[in-house]
């Protein structure tokens, strides 16, 4: 199976830093030019102890989506709650 992305997690004094590299081609998109700003959000899914269900969703900007146990409201896209993402 080909590798489509790379991830790196670094522990810091006040939490963790997560870096992900996903080729734009895999997403079916063209890479933005340097210093481009786009609207969006980034989140982390945490599982239950068994690792079988999503127990919590945490997003950088949209705090209304810290929803637990896969209820239908978490699939709603609320772009008004997004923030600005810089691309280098």
């Amino acid at each position: 199976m080909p590798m489509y992305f790379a991830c790196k997690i670094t522990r810091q004094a006040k939490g963790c830093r997560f870096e992900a590299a996903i080729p734009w081609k895999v997403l079916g998109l063209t890479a933005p030019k340097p210093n481009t700003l786009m609207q969006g959000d980034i989140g982390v899914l945490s599982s239950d102890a068994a690792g079988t269900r999503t127990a919590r969703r945490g997003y950088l900007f949209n705090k209304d989506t810290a929803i637990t146990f896969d209820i239908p409201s978490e699939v709603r896209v609320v772009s008004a709650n997004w923030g600005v993402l810089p691309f280098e």
Side-chain angles (χ1 to χ4, degrees), residues 15-46:
C16 297
R17 176 184 177 99
F18 177 78
E19 297 177 58
I22 304 168
W24 289 99
K25 185 177 181 179
V26 171
L27 300 174
L29 302 170
T30 302
K33 293 180 180 180
N35 302 313
T36 297
L37 300 177
M38 292 184 181
Q39 187 179 13
D41 207 351
I42 297 173
V44 175
L45 306 179
S46 302

Side-chain angles (χ1 to χ4, degrees), residues 56-70:
R56 182 179 185 282
R57 293 174 176 261
Y59 289 88
L60 178 62
F61 298 110
N62 188 357
K63 302 307 179 195
D64 293 339
T65 54
I67 301 165
T68 58
F69 292 105
D70 286 327

Side-chain angles (χ1 to χ4, degrees), residues 1 29 36 39 43 46 48 58 71 79 82 87-88:
M1 180 175 193
L29 302 170
T36 297
Q39 187 179 13
S46 302
D48 62 6
I71 57 176
S79 59
W82 291 353
F87 290 87
E88 299 175 358

